[in-house]
Amino acid sequence: MKAVMYGAGNIGRGFIGMLFSASGCEVIFVDVAEKVVKELQEKKQYPLRYVASQGHQDMMIKPVTAINGNDMEMTANAIAECDIMATAVGPRILKLIAPNLAAGIRRRMQTSSKNLNIIICENLMDADRVLERMVKAELTKEEIEWFDGHVGLVEASIGRMVPIQTEEMKDGDPLRVCVESYGFLPVDGAAFKGEVPDIKNMIPFEPFDFFIKRKLYVHNMGHAVCAYLGDVLELEYIYQSIDRDEIYIIVKNAMEESAAALSSEYGVPLENIMKHIMDLLYRFANTALKDTCRRVGRDPERKLSPKDRLIGAACLAMDQNVVPAYIAIGVAAGVRRYIDETASMQQNIVCAEDVLRNVSELEIGSRLSKLILDMYQMMLEGRGLGELRRAADGIKAACSENVV
């Protein structure tokens, strides 16, 4: 079997490429990073290291090779001939690879009757619809008809945490990827065209919307809150952040707010989601990953957008009559990070309102925006995280009294 892995970065090499290889595939990476492409072409393998606070374990991923994504002809041929494919390029790069995907699908239509399933490994709500729209914009009417009958766009929930690889992590090999041991890949079982391929640790689920939202609104949201609160305390690493008692409590409670909302919306037992949260909190504390608050919190504009991890989770909670008091602390810290990175803005309540209005598309004066702005105002006044946590505690207690 041949597998095309579009994106030879942390998730491409550190997770999906490894699963393809473990499933007996020759893995063909497509990327524009010339040094990585050349190394993969020459070595035909790369080292992967599982890291934990207790130590590490090494393994070699092979056979592999690579293609430069700037070569549309070679990329199209690889897509036309492969048995399975995946993308892990980042949401903002999808539009740049759409022409190559269309060229590959066009070539496949001309040379084969086999279905093509593309596993979409991007932290993006409705990633299948987004990618479908981008690719179809490059196709003719006849090609779109073939696409609809033969191409499966399969959303995946990427749970493995892979940090930016430092020189220390590379340990003398530029291709080495250090990852945590968690390795399950939930995918949308209903999206495949034809038979579901046998890929190691890939678990098809139906309906899949719950798993996408659990990943984004529990895992990604909690991770972002941990990062932004770490920023407030000027901490470098995620494990340092989650090790602070007040941050741990706020992050855990924020994730539990999402859990309650998801349980209510999908009818999934709350206990199951709570077990997942405890596993995530343990994994956040992995000192060997050395994942930074800067990396996890990067691109705050996207993370504060209406359907992404922070605002999306808060809005889901509000819809399910769960007051997102702790999530609001994380959103306020995210607004603080966004303003810090925007040269034209200053840390004040007016700029914070502008962020919620223009980036998060919240109505100023709504219950949710007021909740977030109250937390942000406390940050402006120099209140500690303990005071913010106690404010959230009071809001939740008042809600409980009203219910009773």
Side-chain angles (χ1 to χ4, degrees):
M1 292 177 62
K2 291 186 176 181
V4 168
M5 180 65 248
Y6 213 127
N10 289 345
I11 296 300
R13 297 203 319 278
F15 191 17
I16 313 303
M18 179 273 293
L19 293 185
F20 283 160
S21 175
S23 305
C25 297
E26 175 190 0
V27 185
I28 304 164
F29 288 95
V30 181
D31 209 294
V32 294
E34 293 184 5
K35 184 176 180 180
V36 172
V37 169
K38 185 178 179 182
E39 289 275 338
L40 290 169
Q41 288 173 339
E42 291 177 354
K43 295 181 178 178
K44 308 295 183 185
Q45 62 182 13
Y46 66 90
L48 183 140
R49 175 170 290 176
Y50 291 115
V51 295
S53 299
Q54 299 79 18
H56 69 262
Q57 178 182 358
D58 291 319
M59 66 182 299
M60 194 65 71
I61 310 301
K62 58 184 180 180
V64 304
T65 188
I67 295 170
N68 193 310
N70 291 319
D71 189 331
M72 180 178 284
E73 184 74 11
M74 288 191 68
T75 302
N77 286 337
I79 293 172
E81 296 170 1
C82 72
D83 297 286
I84 185 68
M85 180 180 172
T87 74
V89 297
R92 295 186 184 276
I93 306 300
L94 283 176
K95 63 182 178 182
L96 301 180
I97 73 170
N100 279 1
L101 295 180
I105 290 166
R106 185 177 299 115
R107 183 70 52 82
R108 195 178 185 97
M109 174 182 170
Q110 296 166 351
T111 60
S112 174
S113 60
K114 293 195 303 182
N115 294 325
L116 173 63
N117 288 300
I118 304 175
I119 302 173
I120 309 169
C121 305
E122 315 289 349
N123 276 327
L124 178 68
M125 284 295 292
D126 300 321
D128 55 339
R129 297 178 189 176
V130 172
L131 187 58
E132 179 180 15
R133 183 173 62 252
M134 291 175 176
V135 173
K136 283 186 174 180
E138 307 284 335
L139 301 175
T140 66
K141 182 178 180 181
E142 181 184 3
E143 290 163 352
I144 288 173
E145 290 179 0
W146 193 89
F147 180 105
D148 289 338
H150 293 82
V151 179
L153 297 179
V154 183
E155 287 191 284
S157 176
I158 307 301
R160 171 171 283 179
M161 291 183 285
V162 187
I164 292 176
Q165 304 299 299
T166 64
E167 291 304 316
E168 180 184 0
M169 287 179 168
K170 293 175 185 176
D171 195 16
D173 192 322
L175 291 180
R176 188 186 312 278
V177 187
C178 292
V179 303
E180 65 167 348
S181 61
Y182 181 91
F184 294 102
L185 181 66
V187 296
D188 183 358
F192 286 93
K193 291 292 170 64
E195 186 177 350
V196 177
D198 185 14
I199 302 298
K200 182 179 176 64
N201 285 3
M202 185 179 78
I203 307 170
F205 285 101
E206 297 180 48
F208 194 62
D209 189 49
F210 165 75
F211 288 92
I212 288 292
K213 287 186 177 176
R214 189 186 74 167
K215 171 58 169 50
L216 197 60
Y217 294 164
V218 175
H219 184 160
N220 293 138
M221 183 276 296
H223 218 194
V225 172
C226 189
Y228 293 141
L229 295 181
D231 285 344
V232 172
L233 298 186
E234 299 182 351
L235 302 173
E236 182 176 3
Y237 295 110
I238 289 294
Y239 74 80
Q240 293 174 324
S241 181
I242 202 64
D243 196 45
R244 296 294 184 95
D245 290 344
E246 293 295 355
I247 293 180
Y248 180 93
I249 293 168
I250 293 170
V251 170
K252 181 174 182 290
N253 286 346
M255 294 165 81
E256 288 178 358
E257 287 171 341
S258 273
L262 286 167
S263 176
S264 176
E265 181 174 348
Y266 291 97
V268 175
L270 183 59
E271 180 184 359
N272 294 353
I273 312 175
M274 294 300 293
K275 289 178 180 177
H276 181 58
I277 288 172
M278 295 311 298
D279 176 61
L280 286 169
L281 291 168
Y282 173 76
R283 289 159 57 198
F284 288 174
N286 186 341
T287 58
L289 280 179
K290 296 185 178 178
D291 213 353
T292 65
C293 295
R294 179 58 49 183
R295 185 202 74 83
V296 174
R298 68 186 174 188
D299 197 2
E301 181 176 8
R302 177 168 62 88
K303 291 178 170 64
L304 288 166
S305 62
K307 292 186 178 181
D308 211 282
R309 60 212 68 196
L310 295 166
I311 303 300
C315 289
L316 175 65
M318 296 292 287
D319 289 344
Q320 297 299 320
N321 296 315
V322 177
V323 178
Y326 302 98
I327 296 175
I329 299 174
V331 177
V335 170
R336 176 182 177 275
R337 166 78 170 264
Y338 177 83
I339 292 174
D340 273 347
E341 295 184 1
T342 307
S344 61
M345 302 184 79
Q346 296 181 343
Q347 293 289 355
N348 58 56
I349 200 69
V350 174
C351 287
E353 289 177 352
D354 286 344
V355 174
L356 294 184
R357 182 187 299 110
N358 299 321
V359 176
S360 304
E361 298 181 12
L362 293 181
E363 180 183 347
I364 302 304
S366 67
R367 188 181 182 189
L368 178 56
S369 66
K370 186 178 185 305
L371 192 59
I372 295 165
L373 291 170
D374 285 349
M375 296 299 182
Y376 178 81
Q377 181 63 43
M378 291 181 69
M379 290 182 182
L380 281 182
E381 294 169 358
R383 308 286 189 89
L385 294 184
E387 288 189 71
L388 271 77
R389 191 263 303 163
R390 285 189 289 275
D393 291 346
I395 292 168
K396 303 297 276 195
C399 292
S400 297
E401 289 174 3
N402 290 337
V403 169
V404 175

